[in-house]
Amino acid sequence: MEIDITWAREELANFLNLTDLYRRPSPPGIVVVTSQRSNRGSQEEIIASAHVVEQILDRVLPEWRTSVDKTGNTRINRWSQHREAAQRADAALARDAEVRERLGDNAPRLSAGTMHPWVWNGARALWQSGHFREAVTAAARQVNAETQNKVGRRDLSETKLFQNAFSQSPAKENEPRLRLMEDDGGDTFRSVHRGAMAFAEGCYAGIRNPNSHEVSPAELPEHEALEQLAAFSVLARWVDTATVVHAATTQPSA
């Protein structure tokens, strides 16, 4: 889903107005000399606005919590980092179409927030703190756990779990299968499930395991981590939409 730019910019503008700093006027007949400034909005209004703005920032500037300087939160005002991030996000939204056209980059963009919920919910907290490698690993664990839940297996995990779930052999007692299409005995059925099994093995053997055992202090580049999340999102969507087939039933259950 594309972001509603008009709505997002209105929310950012409202937040910037509420957090604007100004000197309160002196009461009538009293002259108060002070350098202290206050936010225009109440803390209740600002907090309510920040709840929405943070979600906009997560979409427009996913790394804002680590890339935008937050020292002003203690030196100037507790909302300084949010204000700078909101200003950057507003500029990005206002000029996005123009910049992409001028730079000749009209390729579609991939947002982590639009990936399958199992993946993004698992990765979100670590991703937003800049721990991209660990975020991918957390997403892989979440997909594994949700697959275990769907087929009711706790004795298998990761590669072995998917090999068993997508096996083309008929379901056995305590070994249900995931079916992406009806088994009509055709080549397409065999190809689809062989591919799903191989893809899952690649995700865990080629992505999850190296990330879990990586000893290098270098963080995984964000664009590479995003590509890896996308791979697990494909797998998650397949599992989520698959039908569970049990040995004891003649009709598949959703």
Side-chain angles (χ1 to χ4, degrees):
M1 175 180 178
E2 290 291 332
I3 189 170
D4 185 332
I5 294 179
T6 300
W7 168 82
R9 294 194 66 199
E10 288 174 353
E11 292 293 333
L12 293 171
N14 179 57
F15 176 78
L16 290 171
N17 179 63
L18 291 172
T19 55
D20 183 41
L21 293 174
Y22 79 111
R23 290 187 177 87
R24 294 184 182 276
S26 302
I30 301 176
V31 177
V32 178
V33 179
T34 178
S35 60
Q36 184 176 6
R37 295 184 295 170
S38 304
N39 296 121
R40 292 191 182 278
S42 67
Q43 285 303 299
E44 290 78 11
E45 291 174 315
I46 294 174
I47 290 172
S49 178
H51 174 71
V52 175
V53 165
E54 286 177 351
Q55 296 180 66
I56 296 173
L57 295 178
D58 289 342
R59 284 288 302 275
V60 181
L61 302 173
E63 75 289 352
W64 70 273
R65 288 180 172 83
T66 55
S67 65
V68 179
D69 182 36
K70 59 182 178 182
T71 57
N73 290 353
T74 53
R75 292 189 299 103
I76 303 173
N77 183 266
R78 66 171 290 191
W79 301 106
S80 291
Q81 184 188 33
H82 281 69
R83 280 184 59 81
E84 181 177 342
Q87 290 167 340
R88 292 189 189 186
D90 184 63
L93 290 171
R95 307 199 64 184
D96 176 72
E98 175 191 354
V99 170
R100 296 182 71 197
E101 180 180 356
R102 296 293 185 182
L103 293 179
D105 179 14
N106 288 314
R109 293 170 297 170
L110 182 63
S111 168
T114 62
M115 293 184 189
H116 193 281
W118 295 351
V119 170
W120 183 231
N121 290 344
R124 184 196 300 266
L126 288 163
W127 189 276
Q128 291 174 345
S129 61
H131 296 87
F132 302 126
R133 191 185 303 280
E134 293 179 37
V136 174
T137 299
R141 287 197 298 265
Q142 183 78 15
V143 173
N144 178 78
E146 296 291 351
T147 304
Q148 288 179 321
N149 289 340
K150 179 148 187 169
V151 297
R153 302 293 298 267
R154 294 294 183 276
D155 55 324
L156 298 178
S157 65
E158 300 189 352
T159 299
K160 291 184 178 180
L161 171 67
F162 290 97
Q163 287 175 337
N164 188 276
F166 285 121
S167 171
Q168 297 173 49
S169 64
K172 302 176 183 178
E173 185 177 359
N174 299 321
E175 290 189 21
R177 306 293 189 220
L178 291 178
R179 292 295 178 244
L180 299 172
M181 61 177 290
E182 184 179 353
D183 185 358
D184 57 1
D187 290 341
T188 300
F189 171 84
R190 290 190 290 272
S191 176
V192 165
H193 292 84
R194 183 175 67 250
M197 183 190 298
F199 185 79
E201 181 177 0
C203 285
Y204 284 91
I207 298 176
R208 187 260 196 263
N209 289 347
N211 279 340
S212 300
H213 302 124
E214 178 61 52
V215 295
S216 171
E219 181 53 80
L220 187 68
E222 183 177 3
H223 69 278
E224 291 185 20
L226 191 61
E227 293 168 354
Q228 294 182 3
L229 280 187
F232 279 103
S233 183
V234 171
L235 180 59
R237 211 169 297 279
W238 285 349
V239 173
D240 193 20
T241 58
T243 298
V244 181
V245 175
H246 298 275
T249 61
T250 57
Q251 294 295 325
S253 62

